[in-house]
Amino acid sequence: MQVTDSLEQNKILKRPAWDEYFMNIAELVKTRSTCLRRQVGAVIVKDNRILTTGYNGAPPGARHCAEVGCLRELMGVPSGERHELCRALHAEQNAVIQAAKYGIQIDGGTIYTTTYPCVICAKILIASNIKRIVYRGGYPDDLSKKFLSESGIKIDKFL
């Protein structure tokens, strides 16, 4: 019997490629989001192993937007602006916080996120030495794009 390469085996067994696998997990993670405007999920991976996950929502112990309403929505703040008015931490922030909280090394890892990172998350990912960002949906934040383009982080849009 001839041994086929792993790509052929994946096709025969209908196994998802790694990027598809981790993005599917990020999509599942986002279902825990408590944000009323946008649900986002993130998964940090290294050597094809999941290190942490995160979704956007209020910090532990804080009331969720579903309970108290969305201040940004009430004020008419457009997406991508005035992040400081939001009760929630972003999915990428929560994934990095989880790594710090539990002593997990994410240096050199890849983050899969369902939405392009905002400028605050971009700076956190740059400082965390994330080497690759795979994202699905866009986000209106030109400053984030500028920071990330200067950072050397590999950015891939998941199709």
Side-chain angles (χ1 to χ4, degrees):
M1 176 178 204
Q2 185 175 356
V3 177
T4 59
D5 68 14
S6 74
L7 286 177
E8 283 301 312
Q9 287 177 342
N10 283 350
K11 289 177 188 175
I12 293 167
L13 299 174
K14 298 184 187 201
R15 295 175 69 203
W18 286 114
D19 283 353
E20 180 181 5
Y21 175 72
F22 293 124
M23 188 58 74
N24 286 342
I25 293 170
E27 289 289 345
L28 179 61
V29 169
K30 86 176 186 181
T31 65
R32 292 283 306 155
S33 171
T34 59
C35 181
L36 300 174
R37 294 179 98 182
R38 181 190 307 257
Q39 288 69 47
V40 181
V43 178
I44 299 178
V45 173
K46 191 170 184 179
D47 300 325
N48 290 330
R49 299 292 177 255
I50 295 171
L51 302 177
T52 65
T53 65
Y55 54 86
N56 56 332
R63 293 171 62 202
H64 299 294
C65 298
E67 298 174 72
V68 297
C70 176
L71 181 60
R72 295 177 77 235
E73 191 70 31
L74 291 171
M75 295 177 69
V77 177
S79 185
E81 297 179 17
R82 303 289 315 268
H83 300 287
E84 75 279 7
L85 296 175
C86 183
R87 298 181 70 74
L89 291 162
H90 287 186
E92 302 93 331
Q93 294 167 359
N94 270 322
V96 172
I97 289 166
Q98 290 303 308
K101 184 175 178 179
Y102 294 105
I104 299 168
Q105 220 22 301
I106 60 171
D107 183 61
T110 295
I111 188 165
Y112 292 83
T113 181
T114 58
T115 303
Y116 194 90
C118 73
V119 67
I120 295 168
C121 291
K123 291 187 283 186
I124 290 169
L125 296 173
I126 293 165
S128 298
N129 202 31
I130 290 292
K131 293 299 184 191
R132 182 175 178 232
I133 298 170
V134 181
Y135 73 98
R136 176 167 269 150
Y139 191 74
D141 193 330
D142 291 335
L143 188 54
S144 174
K145 291 176 183 148
K146 182 177 178 0
F147 271 109
L148 288 171
S149 72
E150 295 170 0
S151 73
I153 295 175
K154 183 172 174 25
I155 312 286
D156 292 314
K157 180 166 176 59
F158 183 82
L159 302 174

